Amino acid sequence: MASQTAKTILEEMTIQEKIGQLIQLSGDFFQNGTAAITGPLKEHHLSLETIYTAGSVLGISGAERVRQVQTDFLKHSRLKIPLLFMADVVHGYQTIFPIPLALGATFDPQTMHDTAAVAAKESAAGGVHVTFAPMVDLVRDPRWGRVMESTGEDPYLNSVMAKAAVNGFQGKLPLDANHIAACVKHFAAYGAPEAGREYNTVDISEWRFREQYLPAYAAAIEAESLLVMTSFNTLFGIPATANQKLMRDILRQELDFKGVLISDWDAIGETIAHGVAGNLEAAADLSLKAGVDIDMMSFAYAKYLEKAANLDEHTKLLIDEAVVRILDLKVALGLFEDPYRGLSVEREATTILSSDNLHVAEQAAEKSMVLLKNESVLPLATDAKVALVGPGAHTGDLLGSWSWQGDPQKTSSIYDEFKSRFKSVEYAKGCGFHALNYQELDQAVMIGRDSDVIVAVVGLPSSETGEATSLTQLTLPTEQLTLLKQLAALNKPLITVVLTGRPLDLTAVAAVSSAIVLAWYPGSRGAAALTNILTGEVNPSGKLPMSFPRHVGQVPIYYNHYNTGRPISQTADDDENKYLSKYVDAKSEPLYPFGYGLSYADLAVEQLKVLNPIVNDSQNLQVEVTITNHSTISATTVMQVYSHQLVGQTVRPVKELKYFERLSLAPLETRDILVTLPLTTFRSMQSNLQWQVEDGDYTVMVGLDSDNVLQQPFEIRANNKRGQE
Ligand code: BGC
């Protein structure tokens, strides 16, 4: 429902002013606080007048700068319509949290919520009104660099995290000055580019799209995300940005999305290269018809909508609808009451990088790190003589991509933290991320020889994650493998810490390491968090949100796959039978499965009891799970509940996550946990593209990872209840 403010302003607006609201400009158009058209910006042929009608700008922040730009803008705006400031606040503003994939590894929606809330508070204090987050694309191919921005391969985990992020950014609506509007992206299915190649074609069936890809976007929209961003890719044969079925039928009608739909950067213009628009004028027309309200940086709307509106009443109507949605967003942000949203340099200074915020970052990083291997060498005693090596050991490059306001120079390195925590630390780089010189290597080997334990921090530089960083290889660069092999030959405990924004093939690393800790890009307090984990001050609890392959040839690899007509049995028989769905040169399973992550404690699911093995339509499935901590240290883990439907109208995944819970267990504690799963949890997508809970046989499984589970049968008798009783 349009607000009265929006309706009143709309009546006053000229067609140029209306179209202006639909234009988003980059920060380059505002230099020294005023509108400017200099250098390459000239080629867009925009007038200063047009710039002063623009609805929004991206990438400008800082209390003083935003105040200046807004003041100047309002001076020039005939109707005094404030400018909207948008930015990519993806995993923190200046306090940087672990990358979203790492936040997925916490399996903790509270952590996702709290990090988003801090990011909102800091960026609101820096003048940002809208963040281009959360990114909730389902991802299953680590060749694609943007897997780091998602929470992983599972629709349920992604949905829970999507909701938590939106709630964290926006708070309880209406928005207050400490919260900002969320923009869920990239609608839709950007996470499934063929061959993992950036911007490549996405072509999945609508059935699969609806069952697995759509739920996380739907969850974010249900949580009232105020904006949605289109994706670069095609879906069902048409680029998302020009896709009426996707945007009008699915997003607007089915999901009932009432907010603002913004294109991705130049995505309207790119419909030309995709080959569905002959020129920019046609691109503008297609995108407006598809329902795209804001044109981010293609200038198609700026150049052609006025002409279209003069020709066509329907176009005028579509423009009005878009304008009202944008004005309503400005109303929701309170910009007509205070175009600065309480902005001040003092507020900015006290809010940003506060010790409370950094504490949230440290705890999030602790929860996100995943212990992949431990041959009883961790935790480390602080009086151990440590040799610290590797290209990631003495760098502030721990923030990861999409942290434009974070400062690696001011981020303490692992070496800095080690120095303050261990009695004796020697450091040598050993090699670069992609470079090896024998002097550096020898130095590392020398300090390794003289130590009790070697900690090697390896991985990829953050420039090799994020947008436009597709890879064909998922192994550690050979220079770093050479370093690890040389160190392993010393026969000392070798603890490998991996910095990465994507699953890697760690087969060779596992072969030489006594322990592996996956640190991701852990953010502003990542080095401290890692040190807490390595010293045992904190017991690791992170779990993999994506499967880690044993070879790049296995990807896309994910736990919730279908069975095929010739599934492997994971027994010795598999070797005997050639005609199975398998590889002949490698195992089919991943190296580390979804949900996997060790603890320093010995934890086990002891028992799974189904309390009501026949579930009828008035019931939930209830199971009781017994988990024991067999160790004398306390621990936190993630209980994971999966199910499988034995026979369905459409093929069913071998396992699907239905519930998870982070649990802290005292030393030697045994705990019984009651889990209640509503019947709708077991819905499946039918061939008619409708959800339905089908009667029949199911299995419920519980584990501390997706592979190692206890299982029990149950039956659903809901639809044909009477007939079966
Ligand atoms: C990315 C978006 C991002 C936008 C604005 C694009 O290249 O795909 O995720 O929000 O740039 O920075």
Side-chain angles (χ1 to χ4, degrees):
M1 268 280 282
S3 66
Q4 196 47 50
T5 312
K7 282 194 226 155
T8 313
I9 298 175
L10 187 77
E11 279 172 22
E12 303 277 310
M13 292 172 95
T14 63
I15 186 71
Q16 293 86 355
E17 285 166 339
K18 287 178 181 175
I19 292 167
Q21 289 303 307
L22 277 47
I23 302 171
Q24 174 155 111
L25 299 172
S26 70
D28 308 327
F29 285 91
F30 299 89
Q31 306 279 342
N32 304 319
T34 64
I37 311 170
T38 52
L41 300 180
K42 284 186 188 151
E43 81 191 29
H44 299 302
H45 305 289
L46 293 189
S47 64
L48 277 181
E49 209 183 347
T50 303
I51 294 179
Y52 281 120
T53 62
S56 55
V57 59
L58 88 154
I60 292 185
S61 72
E64 205 177 327
R65 180 146 187 244
V66 168
R67 216 168 229 289
Q68 269 178 355
V69 171
Q70 188 73 291
T71 304
D72 173 70
F73 189 85
L74 287 172
K75 231 187 321 175
H76 291 83
S77 164
R78 186 180 69 93
L79 295 170
K80 308 290 169 226
I81 305 174
L83 192 57
L84 260 177
F85 291 79
M86 307 199 187
D88 290 280
V89 182
V90 173
H91 53 115
Y93 181 63
Q94 289 194 22
T95 299
I96 302 296
F97 302 104
I99 55 168
L101 191 60
L103 291 174
T106 67
F107 279 69
D108 187 16
Q110 190 64 47
T111 294
M112 181 57 103
H113 172 277
D114 295 349
T115 58
V118 171
K121 199 172 170 190
E122 285 198 358
S123 55
V128 175
H129 305 151
V130 174
T131 174
F132 297 133
M135 186 277 219
V136 305
D137 305 329
L138 188 83
V139 290
R140 290 171 167 175
D141 190 335
R143 290 173 299 183
W144 192 50
R146 300 195 81 168
V147 302
M148 56 125 338
E149 289 170 59
S150 164
T151 50
E153 73 188 30
D154 183 72
Y156 175 66
L157 176 64
N158 284 8
S159 301
V160 170
M161 291 304 204
K163 183 172 167 219
V166 171
N167 289 337
F169 285 128
Q170 297 191 160
K172 224 170 136 36
L173 294 178
L175 289 166
D176 64 29
N178 281 324
H179 291 89
I180 58 176
C183 174
V184 60
K185 68 188 188 186
H186 306 82
F187 199 72
Y190 182 26
E194 284 181 2
R197 202 182 78 227
E198 185 62 293
Y199 314 127
N200 203 7
T201 304
V202 170
D203 188 12
I204 50 180
S205 70
E206 186 171 346
W207 165 73
R208 195 169 203 193
F209 169 67
R210 286 176 177 277
E211 180 161 277
Q212 297 178 358
Y213 289 79
L214 193 54
Y217 306 107
I221 289 161
E222 209 182 297
E224 297 187 86
S225 176
L226 290 167
L227 296 93
V228 169
M229 185 187 290
T230 71
S231 55
F232 286 128
N233 56 280
T234 56
L235 189 63
F236 317 137
I238 296 177
T241 309
N243 196 321
Q244 287 198 34
K245 175 186 163 102
L246 186 61
M247 300 305 176
R248 294 262 175 216
D249 301 350
I250 299 182
L251 178 68
R252 293 272 183 218
Q253 229 169 304
E254 270 182 51
L255 301 183
D256 200 23
F257 175 63
K258 301 251 189 297
V260 171
L261 178 62
I262 184 169
S263 79
D264 202 343
W265 182 289
D266 191 27
I268 294 182
E270 289 176 15
T271 60
I272 300 171
H274 274 295
V276 299
N279 52 41
L280 203 57
E281 184 172 352
D285 183 53
L286 282 175
S287 305
L288 188 74
K289 287 198 175 122
V292 178
D293 299 320
I294 299 182
D295 171 1
M296 185 200 292
M297 291 298 287
S298 89
F299 309 101
Y301 283 5
K303 288 176 185 158
Y304 295 106
L305 281 193
E306 190 179 338
K307 185 173 155 201
N310 287 336
L311 297 174
D312 179 0
E313 282 305 311
H314 182 59
T315 303
K316 272 192 199 153
L317 198 78
L318 294 180
I319 292 173
D320 282 1
E321 282 176 9
V323 172
V324 166
R325 282 193 283 263
I326 295 160
L327 292 177
D328 273 343
L329 177 60
K330 296 184 181 190
V331 170
L333 284 154
L335 290 173
F336 289 102
E337 279 115 62
D338 174 8
Y340 306 100
R341 298 190 89 221
L343 213 54
S344 77
V345 174
E346 297 72 41
R347 173 180 158 205
E348 184 179 40
T350 52
T351 308
I352 287 172
L353 288 167
S354 72
S355 55
D356 283 355
N357 297 356
L358 289 166
H359 184 63
V360 175
E362 188 166 322
Q363 286 195 321
E366 287 167 358
K367 288 179 183 170
S368 74
M369 292 186 187
V370 186
L371 180 64
L372 293 175
K373 178 175 181 182
N374 188 14
E375 285 174 347
S376 306
V377 290
L378 286 173
L380 294 176
T382 48
D383 59 3
K385 203 167 174 204
V386 180
L388 178 66
V389 304
H394 196 3
T395 168
D397 185 15
L398 301 174
L399 305 181
S401 177
W402 294 112
S403 49
W404 57 296
Q405 283 285 320
D407 187 352
Q409 307 296 336
K410 291 191 192 141
T411 304
S412 52
S413 73
I414 294 167
Y415 177 63
D416 298 333
E417 292 293 332
F418 268 34
K419 285 288 271 186
S420 70
R421 222 72 76 76
F422 289 99
K423 228 166 154 182
S424 157
V425 185
E426 289 294 326
Y427 163 75
K429 191 169 168 196
C431 67
F433 282 108
H434 289 287
L436 186 67
N437 91 41
Y438 285 94
Q439 222 176 331
E440 278 182 350
L441 184 65
D442 290 349
Q443 180 80 21
V445 171
M446 202 179 76
I447 65 163
R449 189 173 290 125
D450 197 32
S451 69
D452 300 332
V453 58
I454 305 166
V455 177
V457 187
V458 298
L460 299 179
S462 63
S463 55
E464 284 171 39
T465 55
E467 188 173 350
T469 62
S470 294
L471 290 176
T472 61
Q473 298 293 329
L474 296 175
T475 47
L476 204 61
T478 48
E479 295 81 357
Q480 298 184 54
L481 279 173
T482 304
L483 171 68
L484 289 185
K485 281 181 194 152
Q486 296 264 337
L487 295 168
L490 298 173
N491 285 322
K492 301 266 167 105
L494 173 59
I495 292 151
T496 304
V497 174
V498 183
L499 300 176
T500 181
R502 65 175 99 217
L504 293 173
D505 160 8
L506 295 176
T507 310
V509 175
V512 296
S513 306
S514 336
I516 303 178
V517 177
L518 178 61
W520 308 104
Y521 296 104
S524 301
R525 296 292 297 151
L530 176 72
T531 313
N532 293 342
I533 296 241
L534 294 179
T535 56
E537 205 169 300
V538 170
N539 197 345
S541 58
K543 300 281 184 177
L544 294 180
M546 280 184 86
S547 307
F548 270 48
R550 38 182 92 236
H551 191 281
V552 67
Q554 292 180 310
V555 306
I557 183 168
Y558 46 93
Y559 85 96
N560 39 3
H561 59 86
Y562 306 108
N563 231 347
T564 83
R566 297 185 179 190
I568 52 167
S569 59
Q570 296 205 15
T571 65
D573 294 348
D574 292 342
D575 295 336
E576 306 296 314
N577 190 348
K578 178 173 178 192
Y579 296 98
L580 293 180
S581 179
K582 64 176 185 179
Y583 298 103
V584 291
D585 60 347
K587 288 187 183 171
S588 298
E589 347 42 286
L591 186 62
Y592 301 114
F594 175 83
Y596 179 81
L598 303 170
S599 163
Y600 295 148
D602 174 15
L603 306 168
V605 177
E606 308 287 345
Q607 205 182 37
L608 164 64
K609 257 196 265 171
V610 176
L611 302 184
N612 54 335
I614 297 177
V615 186
N616 63 40
D617 61 4
S618 58
Q619 283 179 303
N620 304 310
L621 175 72
Q622 291 209 312
V623 299
E624 197 178 81
V625 183
T626 308
I627 299 185
T628 300
N629 176 2
H630 292 283
S631 304
T632 52
I633 53 169
S634 53
T636 300
T637 190
V638 180
M639 173 183 71
Q640 301 158 41
V641 181
Y642 299 87
S643 75
H644 171 62
Q645 182 180 350
L646 271 61
V647 178
Q649 191 239 9
T650 54
V651 295
R652 298 292 82 224
V654 295
K655 261 173 215 162
E656 293 174 271
L657 186 65
K658 296 297 180 186
Y659 179 77
F660 59 84
E661 192 175 326
R662 272 178 75 88
L663 302 164
S664 291
L665 294 160
L668 303 174
E669 180 182 351
T670 289
R671 173 114 45 103
D672 293 329
I673 304 129
L674 181 69
V675 179
T676 301
L677 299 172
L679 208 56
T680 48
T681 314
F682 305 103
R683 65 183 193 168
S684 61
M685 185 55 63
Q686 307 286 292
S687 56
N688 65 1
L689 306 180
Q690 300 295 317
W691 288 111
Q692 196 182 321
V693 179
E694 291 185 281
D695 280 357
D697 293 325
Y698 291 73
T699 311
V700 60
M701 295 160 258
V702 177
L704 303 180
D705 63 62
S706 64
D707 191 35
N708 199 349
V709 292
L710 295 185
Q711 63 177 64
Q712 290 292 340
F714 71 99
E715 197 182 319
I716 293 181
R717 281 195 212 166
N719 306 317
N720 301 314
K721 208 179 108 207
R722 242 168 279 126
Q724 291 178 6
E725 269 173 357

